[in-house]
Amino acid sequence: MSLREHALTLFRSAVGTVRPAPMLKKAVKLQGDGCPQLLVKGQVFPVKRDLYLVGFGKAVLGMAAAAEEILGDHLIRGIINVPLGIQESLQRAGMQEMLLKPHSKIQVIEGARNNLPDPEALRGAVAIQELAEGLTVDDLLLVLISGGGSALLPAPILPILLEEKEKLTKMLASRGAAIQELNIVRKTLSLLKGGGLARLAYPAQVVSLILSDVIGDPLDVIASGPTAASSHSVQDCLQVLAKYNLLHNLPKSVETVLSSSPTKPTALEDYSHVCNIIIGSNTLALDEARRQAEGLGYTTLILSAAICGEVGRVATLYCQLIQLVCLGFTGLGEGPLSDEVRGNLLQLAAELEIPGLNLAEFLQALRGLGPERPVCILAGGETTVKLQGTGKGGRNQELALRVGLGLYRAQATKVSSPQGRCEIVFLSGGTDGQDGPTEAAGAFCSPELVDEALQEGFDVEAFLSNNDSYTFFSQFQGGHHLLVTGLTGTNVMDIQVILIRATERS
Ligand SMILES: Nc1ncnc2c1ncn2[C@@H]1O[C@H](COP(=O)(O)OP(=O)(O)OP(=O)(O)O)[C@@H](O)[C@H]1O
Ligand SMILES: O=C(O)[C@H](O)CO
């Protein structure tokens, strides 16, 4: 198999392991007929009487279908809020396993057009609220949560109107608020977010199964943490609103709610009936890819599952890492060139402030590598693209094209480039199968890509400055370098696979 085929296999295996059905079936079991018990990742929850299910998020339909199969007749009733049109598009894509069976006990409510709260999502949220409020100490509530859950569970605290909350969310997002900031505000203004759903379900046992789409898997940020204790107070919310210059023209209703919000977060003791369990994440996906890569004979290193930062700088980080591996393969691992690249890399990594990135240890591991075994570097997270052009693209395609350009430049400036003696494939893809508003999940690149593109008359830099990576990749060599998977039904952010092997000349 070629490096490219290997990269694709690794990407697919990473995504495969966090697809709703396999993920749920691996994490959850129901055992014992007389006194059934729910087993979730080694934790045991007795099903004393009735078992209910609620869920909200983009991947929740597939999770619910798998959960209903596992729970069988023990499930009394369920309600899930999922994106508008999802059943039809999964049907069209032939992904039957993600759909509920006829006569399912789970009611599906579709809403949140364009990932924004709307009356349909509100109707679903009210139904979920009523179900939670009616539970008793003998009941167990299984809560399925995935990315997109915030917009799908809107329950503004009165007198805030849905339209007012929608407008505020839109303004924060358009002013560049990060998801952590956005969700601090959402939690303060919502009845069900910030642990609200769990508190309403008391005294029932609440078990939440969470598919994380946020860097670092913070329980109180994913879908605005409806079953997690929030560490934020109304002060934090006011700070976010002030930062984005929104404090002075808030609707009266929002001011009323802010002024009567408790100043301290709810005490942890109030969550003793709740268990939040992450069953799918970027880390789990990368671990599976590592297992596969090792099986294929690669020396495999996971850089981080929390890669973040401006796409151009992250591309430079990857180019420098690739250069270091190639220098090591060609016997130049120690010397002025390596020292220079290593120094630049450390500085850039410090500037990017990627959480948990232990580069020193990583570089140490690279030092011991020989050319006999190929190397696989795996990483995940989400970069940021500041849109400046009017083109069509996504952050993965833009990252791949920028890495291609960086490798081309590094090669062009060195007389005898160590890269020239290595075969390299870089792949970046969104695990949801959709990179930005395009039909591709991401793209592949190699050091030869930009040179070949230039020879065919493609001005790569012009495509990049217009954020037009999709147009480039779909036109160049008949779309050969695009990664097209179709919608996967899951989402644990993005994944990068870098494969490097020494060629015979080195
Ligand atoms: N022309 C473009 N070039 C590069 N990136 C783009 C372009 N247009 C949009 N994007 C990026 O695509 C992202 C939006 O796409 P997408 O819907 O895949 O986001 P997402 O954050 O992955 O959403 P979700 O978490 O729901 O999957 C934004 O980060 C935006 O910066
Ligand atoms: O729904 C949300 O809040 C985002 O997708 C983050 O989980």
Side-chain angles (χ1 to χ4, degrees):
M1 272 209 270
S2 66
L3 283 195
R4 183 191 153 106
E5 284 165 332
H6 277 171
L8 185 59
T9 302
L10 299 180
F11 181 81
R12 285 194 189 280
S13 68
V15 174
T17 202
V18 288
R19 283 181 96 121
M23 179 185 71
L24 229 101
K25 284 177 186 160
K26 203 150 95 189
V28 184
K29 305 237 167 340
L30 192 81
Q31 66 178 31
D33 263 350
C35 355
Q37 293 179 320
L38 196 66
L39 242 81
V40 186
K41 286 198 150 187
Q43 299 193 59
V44 183
F45 304 95
V47 181
K48 291 186 224 151
R49 206 181 65 189
D50 292 341
L51 211 162
Y52 294 89
L53 179 152
V54 296
F56 29 84
K58 295 185 186 179
V60 154
L61 188 60
M63 288 167 78
E68 189 164 29
E69 231 178 85
I70 297 166
L71 304 176
D73 287 342
H74 294 284
L75 179 67
I76 301 294
R77 188 181 152 219
I79 304 170
I80 55 170
N81 293 357
V82 293
L84 193 70
I86 191 167
Q87 296 179 99
E88 201 196 315
S89 53
L90 290 176
Q91 186 98 50
R92 248 189 288 123
M95 294 164 88
Q96 302 300 333
E97 76 283 5
M98 301 258 190
L99 296 167
L100 295 172
K101 300 266 178 308
H103 315 296
S104 162
K105 290 178 187 160
I106 301 172
Q107 179 190 356
V108 182
I109 299 173
E110 293 193 356
R113 184 187 293 275
N114 298 327
N115 204 14
L116 283 166
D118 64 6
E120 280 310 297
L122 179 61
R123 186 169 71 85
V126 171
I128 287 178
Q129 179 184 339
E130 285 170 359
L131 188 152
E133 281 171 337
L135 299 177
T136 72
V137 71
D138 290 329
D139 296 325
L140 192 152
L141 179 66
L142 194 62
V143 185
L144 307 178
I145 302 178
S146 78
S150 290
L152 282 159
L153 195 70
I157 298 176
L158 288 173
I160 301 175
L161 301 173
L162 186 67
E163 306 84 75
E164 291 171 329
K165 202 166 160 216
E166 182 192 337
K167 196 167 156 209
L168 189 59
T169 315
K170 252 186 178 162
M171 282 207 285
L172 276 165
S174 69
R175 291 176 190 205
I179 190 69
Q180 290 77 2
E181 296 173 318
L182 199 62
N183 286 0
I184 286 176
V185 176
R186 283 166 154 168
K187 283 193 288 187
T188 316
L189 306 180
S190 165
L191 202 66
L192 298 177
K193 297 181 166 66
L197 176 62
R199 294 195 301 273
L200 287 181
Y202 180 83
Q205 168 76 59
V206 175
V207 180
S208 289
L209 309 182
I210 304 166
L211 177 63
S212 170
D213 70 332
V214 181
I215 281 179
D217 308 333
L219 295 174
D220 65 338
V221 180
I222 304 163
S224 302
T227 57
S230 172
S231 52
H232 300 111
S233 66
V234 65
Q235 283 310 323
D236 299 310
C237 175
L238 292 170
Q239 263 177 25
V240 174
L241 293 170
K243 178 173 169 189
Y244 293 99
N245 222 359
L246 286 167
L247 214 43
H248 297 298
N249 42 24
L250 290 174
K252 265 258 143 327
S253 59
V254 172
E255 280 179 2
T256 309
V257 168
L258 287 175
S259 61
S260 56
S261 294
T263 46
K264 285 206 183 106
T266 315
L268 277 179
E269 303 87 79
D270 291 343
Y271 295 92
S272 53
H273 62 301
V274 186
C275 191
N276 286 295
I277 304 169
I278 301 266
I279 59 165
S281 66
N282 195 277
T283 305
L284 291 171
L286 291 181
D287 283 345
E288 177 59 23
R290 179 192 2 217
R291 223 175 49 77
Q292 295 284 336
E294 283 170 350
L296 289 169
Y298 287 86
T299 300
T300 309
L301 304 160
I302 294 183
L303 183 62
S304 165
I307 296 289
C308 54
E310 195 273 318
V311 66
R313 291 156 72 81
V314 174
T316 307
L317 182 91
Y318 284 131
C319 288
Q320 289 167 342
L321 273 173
I322 292 169
Q323 278 176 274
L324 276 180
V325 175
C326 293
L327 284 163
F329 275 0
T330 45
L332 299 169
E334 306 297 327
L337 188 54
S338 276
D339 289 346
E340 185 192 322
V341 180
R342 206 174 289 120
N344 291 340
L345 178 66
L346 286 168
Q347 191 183 337
L348 179 57
E351 284 166 17
L352 281 169
E353 292 182 359
I354 294 167
L357 180 69
N358 185 355
L359 206 55
E361 205 177 298
F362 193 83
L363 291 176
Q364 194 55 39
L366 285 189
R367 277 196 158 121
L369 298 177
E372 322 73 55
R373 266 165 72 93
V375 168
C376 169
I377 300 174
L378 299 166
E382 220 165 63
T383 64
T384 318
V385 178
K386 279 205 190 99
L387 289 181
Q388 268 147 359
T390 54
K392 198 169 171 188
R395 46 176 191 258
N396 289 284
Q397 291 162 80
E398 179 142 345
L399 178 62
L401 194 50
R402 285 187 184 278
V403 168
L405 187 62
L407 295 176
Y408 165 75
R409 284 187 180 144
Q411 198 155 6
T413 52
K414 305 278 176 318
V415 184
S416 169
S417 161
Q419 255 172 237
R421 283 170 273 164
C422 290
E423 193 187 345
I424 303 160
V425 163
F426 176 91
L427 167 60
S428 187
T431 55
D432 59 357
Q434 186 176 27
D435 187 32
T438 78
E439 45 126 56
F444 296 85
C445 86
S446 61
E448 302 77 36
L449 180 127
V450 169
D451 197 19
E452 289 170 13
L454 290 174
Q455 285 176 29
E456 290 183 31
F458 288 89
D459 182 349
V460 170
E461 287 181 60
F463 278 102
L464 277 172
S465 44
N466 194 27
N467 298 115
D468 210 11
S469 51
Y470 174 75
T471 308
F472 168 79
F473 278 114
S474 51
Q475 290 178 358
F476 177 55
Q477 297 183 343
H480 176 67
H481 303 275
L482 276 178
L483 169 70
V484 182
T485 59
L487 289 179
T488 61
T490 189
N491 181 14
V492 292
M493 302 180 284
D494 303 332
I495 281 180
Q496 284 87 49
V497 179
I498 305 170
L499 301 181
I500 309 170
R501 73 176 161 214
T503 53
E504 281 161 31
R505 284 186 292 136
S506 44

